[in-house]
Amino acid sequence: MTTKVVQPELFDRRRPVWVVPDSVPAIVPRSARSTEPQWVAVYRWAALGGDLLAAVIGVSIALLTRFGYQVGGGYLVFGSLLPLAWVAAVALSRGYETRYFGAGPDEFRSILRSGAGLTAVVAIASYATKSEIARGFVVLAIPATVVLALLLRYGLRRDLSRHRYRGRCMRRVLVVGRNGQAAHLSEHLEKRPSDGFRVVATCRPRGDGRPAVEGLVGPDELDEADIMAAVDRHAVDVVAVASDPDLAGQSLRRLSWALEQRGVELIVSPGIIEVAGPRISVRPVAGLSLLHLERPSVSGGPHLLKGVFDRVLALILLTVAAPVLLGLALAVKLSSRGAVLFKQSRVGRGGEEFKMLKFRSMYVDAEQRLGDLHALSDGNTVLFKMRNDPRVTSLGRILRRFSLDELPQLLNVVRGEMSLVGPRPPLPREVAQYAADDTRRMLVKPGLTGLWQVSGRSDLSWEESVVLDLRYVDNWSMTLDLLILWKTARAVIRGSGAY
């Protein structure tokens, strides 16, 4: 993105440089606009209405299922109050806070917490007042409300994402920091438009590197007055501070106070990359708020649970898909000469090699013809990939497009050599080219699917695939596995990035 440097008349020539992207729309003075963007109010009312509708439907389903058309007056009153109690519970769980709209899992977590909390409150109130509330009604009404509220909120978020990809419903961001850190933070904030951040200006010290305008020299530090001037000038909604020693301790505290008076949100980048939220916690020690980084879970009880889950689900899938597997095996046998299953050495957890199984999708002389095709590779510097590989059979192209050739790997999962979700299983020749950081991928079992599968598959560069695998190893959780399995189904149906 090209940039231009603005030197406002109101600023002293010693002040920091304001770098403004060319694509940023005209600035609306803060005094001329409301403290809250219009889309925020629309989204909040839509979320509140959706939660209320979900509760009404959930209560109606529970009443009709439990009592039919003969509902007592007491349950009619209770059923009428429950939707209001549900909305109050979501509000107490911060389900209507602006910072959670359209980004991160907290919006959905608030609904789950509300469901658990409301169930507990109803149970305690029923016990304390010795009222006879039918457990079947409560057990059906609240879970139904939670499921419907999650679905409606998901649809609302998808609609917001579509607007954001068109450049609407964005939050204006001022990035504060030195050149390298500020540029890195700006890039990540705008990497996913669905998160809703648009960097409208960057505030950096005048003495940081070459002067943006020749002949101007200024101080090397930023202060609160500089930042607040930029906040007012660019009418920002969020100030994002890159890790910078000039803005820490009391300086950052005073800045937060000043931004609070203007209703501007403050976010601070700690400089830690590729670490998910569950591993980060803030702990007060001796009057300081210290960022604590939990160790990644690569062994012990959680991975024992993962192993049991993988094998049980793989057995279920093999049983259910047995007719499909037999049909595919017969089709492979009849389509071309050669074995039905293709066995290839791959490297698993701890560097142990195993034979990975796939339905054969190439002709039997594929390995001998590989050397003649290296110059035509569409892959990356380590992996060979070719969009129109002449070694692939006609049936093989269909199998690969929908990842049906990988179904026999369920046997590898049952045998404990692979997991349902994990890093991509590498070839021994790939492992021989690993850098020191890359070997961390082998701390866990390779997976039938993973972040690489739902993030581009064969369209990824080698560096991108390594980053995704390391991100998975460092941030693994059962929740992440379930999310990847859900996204894998969509990626396979679309066939994107598979060849």
Side-chain angles (χ1 to χ4, degrees):
M1 179 184 295
T2 59
T3 60
K4 62 183 178 182
V5 178
V6 179
Q7 181 69 27
E9 296 79 8
L10 296 178
F11 291 144
D12 190 285
R13 291 170 66 87
R14 296 171 298 172
R15 293 298 188 189
V17 178
W18 315 110
V19 183
V20 184
D22 287 337
S23 59
V24 174
I27 298 170
V28 180
R30 179 167 294 278
S31 59
R33 64 173 187 156
S34 62
T35 57
E36 187 176 79
Q38 184 179 5
W39 72 265
V40 172
V42 172
Y43 189 96
R44 181 180 290 113
W45 281 108
L48 193 149
D51 291 340
L52 196 60
L53 177 63
V56 170
I57 295 175
V59 168
S60 301
I61 292 174
L63 287 174
L64 291 174
T65 303
R66 180 65 177 81
F67 305 108
Y69 292 99
Q70 298 179 353
V71 183
Y75 279 102
L76 285 176
V77 173
F78 180 69
S80 301
L81 294 176
L82 199 58
L84 300 177
W86 169 251
V87 171
V90 175
L92 290 173
S93 298
R94 300 183 176 182
Y96 305 121
E97 285 198 11
T98 306
R99 57 179 173 167
Y100 297 146
F101 290 169
D106 293 285
E107 193 174 2
F108 299 113
R109 286 176 184 163
S110 66
I111 294 176
L112 295 174
R113 286 196 302 266
S114 302
L118 188 58
T119 302
V121 168
V122 171
I124 293 172
S126 175
Y127 176 80
T129 60
K130 297 182 180 181
S131 56
E132 297 295 332
I133 299 178
R135 285 173 293 181
F137 169 73
V138 176
V139 168
L140 185 58
I142 296 180
T145 298
V146 170
V147 172
L148 289 170
L150 286 172
L151 291 174
L152 290 173
R153 193 67 68 96
Y154 176 75
L156 187 60
R157 177 175 284 203
R158 292 279 294 179
D159 183 63
L160 178 61
S161 295
R162 284 192 289 269
H163 283 288
R164 284 177 168 174
Y165 274 104
R166 297 187 183 105
R168 299 192 291 265
C169 303
M170 307 293 280
R171 287 184 283 183
R172 299 170 63 86
V173 182
L174 169 69
V175 174
V176 180
R178 297 187 178 274
N179 274 345
Q181 295 92 332
H184 183 74
L185 181 57
S186 298
E187 178 185 354
H188 277 267
L189 286 175
E190 293 194 319
K191 194 171 186 179
R192 293 197 313 174
S194 60
D195 289 341
F197 293 108
R198 174 187 288 149
V199 177
V200 297
T202 300
C203 179
R204 60 178 175 80
R206 172 67 63 189
D208 189 14
R210 283 186 57 195
V213 179
E214 295 296 336
L216 295 180
V217 180
D220 290 333
E221 296 184 358
L222 291 166
D223 58 30
E224 177 191 333
D226 299 327
I227 299 169
M228 297 313 299
V231 166
D232 292 335
R233 174 174 175 79
H234 297 285
V236 299
D237 305 302
V238 180
V239 171
V241 179
S243 53
D244 192 325
D246 293 340
L247 277 173
Q250 192 63 25
S251 299
L252 194 59
R253 188 185 186 194
R254 286 195 300 266
L255 176 62
S256 69
W257 292 343
L259 293 174
E260 179 184 351
Q261 294 176 356
R262 286 170 168 79
V264 176
E265 183 180 345
L266 173 66
I267 58 177
V268 181
S269 169
I272 301 174
I273 62 172
E274 302 298 343
V275 177
R279 285 186 58 206
I280 299 176
S281 59
V282 177
R283 299 183 181 177
V285 178
L288 299 175
S289 296
L290 302 182
L291 198 66
H292 185 83
L293 193 63
E294 300 287 350
R295 295 178 182 177
S297 176
V298 295
S299 61
H303 272 266
L304 178 62
L305 176 63
K306 174 181 172 69
V308 173
F309 172 80
D310 286 339
R311 295 190 182 195
V312 170
L313 185 56
L315 277 173
I316 294 173
L317 292 175
L318 279 173
T319 303
V320 173
V324 177
L325 291 170
L326 290 174
L328 291 175
L330 182 61
V332 172
K333 187 65 178 177
L334 296 177
S335 64
S336 61
R337 180 173 57 87
V340 171
L341 292 178
F342 174 69
K343 301 179 182 179
Q344 190 175 46
S345 292
R346 297 291 178 117
V347 181
R349 184 179 184 183
E352 295 183 5
E353 291 193 21
F354 66 96
K355 293 293 184 181
M356 189 183 75
L357 304 176
K358 299 176 70 173
F359 280 127
R360 181 176 56 82
S361 59
M362 291 185 172
Y363 295 105
V364 291
D365 61 345
E367 290 297 319
Q368 290 75 18
R369 298 166 61 186
L370 179 60
D372 300 331
L373 300 173
H374 263 299
L376 303 175
S377 175
D378 296 316
N380 49 57
T381 55
V382 178
L383 301 178
F384 175 83
K385 287 288 184 180
M386 191 172 177
R387 292 185 181 276
N388 297 307
D389 196 331
R391 303 173 301 157
V392 180
T393 65
S394 299
L395 176 63
R397 296 187 191 282
I398 299 174
L399 295 178
R400 287 187 168 204
R401 177 173 176 77
F402 298 104
S403 298
L404 296 174
D405 59 325
E406 297 175 2
L407 286 179
Q409 291 171 31
L410 289 170
L411 291 170
N412 292 116
V413 177
V414 173
R415 295 196 309 220
E417 299 162 336
M418 292 180 63
S419 176
L420 287 176
V421 182
R424 193 188 65 83
L427 293 164
R429 65 172 180 267
E430 296 171 23
V431 176
Q433 302 181 55
Y434 275 5
D437 292 344
D438 300 345
T439 57
R440 188 172 177 80
R441 304 163 81 191
M442 292 184 289
L443 289 176
V444 299
K445 294 178 184 178
L448 193 151
T449 185
L451 283 176
W452 48 273
Q453 177 82 305
V454 299
S455 304
R457 302 164 86 179
S458 296
D459 290 334
L460 296 172
S461 67
W462 171 252
E463 291 76 15
E464 289 171 334
S465 64
V466 169
V467 167
L468 289 173
D469 283 343
L470 293 180
R471 182 185 300 167
Y472 175 82
V473 173
D474 284 341
N475 302 299
W476 172 84
S477 69
M478 285 301 301
T479 303
L480 179 60
D481 274 9
L482 294 174
L483 181 62
I484 291 173
L485 288 173
W486 166 256
K487 289 187 174 182
T488 297
R490 292 193 301 171
V492 168
I493 292 173
R494 293 175 182 173
S496 57
Y499 51 88

